[in-house]
Amino acid sequence: MFVIHRYNMDIKWAYLLSRLAIGLSFFGHGLVRLPKLAGFSHWMVVQFSKSYLPDVWVIPFSYILPFAEFIVGLMIILGLFTRQGLLFAGVVSLALIFGTTIIENWEALPSQLIHVAFLSVLLAYLPHNSYAVDKIIKK
């Protein structure tokens, strides 16, 4: 019986570590970009200047992205509305993958795919999300 209990605890700790890792990645991406929003936007516009995406799409996205990364990262770290945070992070990741392929930045693609893999596993194992604000709210 002790072995089963320990196994269940280990799954919960593994879930927490994975959730914190992916949450910190999104949070950190947003956090470092927020203070230099205009510079980040300019960098993105330059990156997409030779693509077929018009600036009228790239500029708003470049200003929204850091806020989205910061918010979704915070949600995932805290375990607050975890399911919605993971899904929102997935949508952000898919948008980034689309942009990455449009500008043929193949070096960035593996990292983005790893993020999606983490998000997918966390969604699949959501019942193991025991150490989270969600659990406190549901009580």
Side-chain angles (χ1 to χ4, degrees), residues 115-133:
H115 277 76
V116 172
F118 258 88
L119 295 168
S120 299
V121 169
L122 288 170
L123 273 168
Y125 287 90
L126 194 58
H128 297 287
N129 187 30
S130 296
Y131 307 117
V133 174

Side-chain angles (χ1 to χ4, degrees), residues 23-113:
L24 284 169
S25 180
F26 278 95
F27 181 79
H29 273 87
L31 184 65
V32 299
R33 292 172 175 164
L34 285 172
K36 52 183 179 183
L37 210 47
F40 174 71
S41 177
H42 176 71
W43 174 82
M44 263 191 101
V45 169
V46 170
Q47 294 297 306
F48 284 87
S49 63
K50 294 181 181 169
S51 76
Y52 62 81
L53 291 179
D55 287 355
V56 71
W57 290 3
V58 176
I59 292 170
F61 183 80
S62 70
Y63 278 97
I64 293 168
L65 178 61
F67 288 99
E69 290 171 324
F70 180 83
I71 292 166
V72 77
L74 190 58
M75 289 172 69
I76 294 170
I77 289 168
L78 296 174
L80 177 63
F81 307 115
T82 308
R83 181 177 185 277
Q84 294 84 348
L86 293 169
L87 289 169
F88 182 30
V91 170
V92 170
S93 296
L94 293 174
L96 291 170
I97 288 169
F98 175 73
T100 296
T101 59
I102 294 301
I103 61 172
E104 300 182 75
N105 182 5
W106 308 121
E107 296 81 27
L109 193 56
S111 173
Q112 294 166 341
L113 292 172

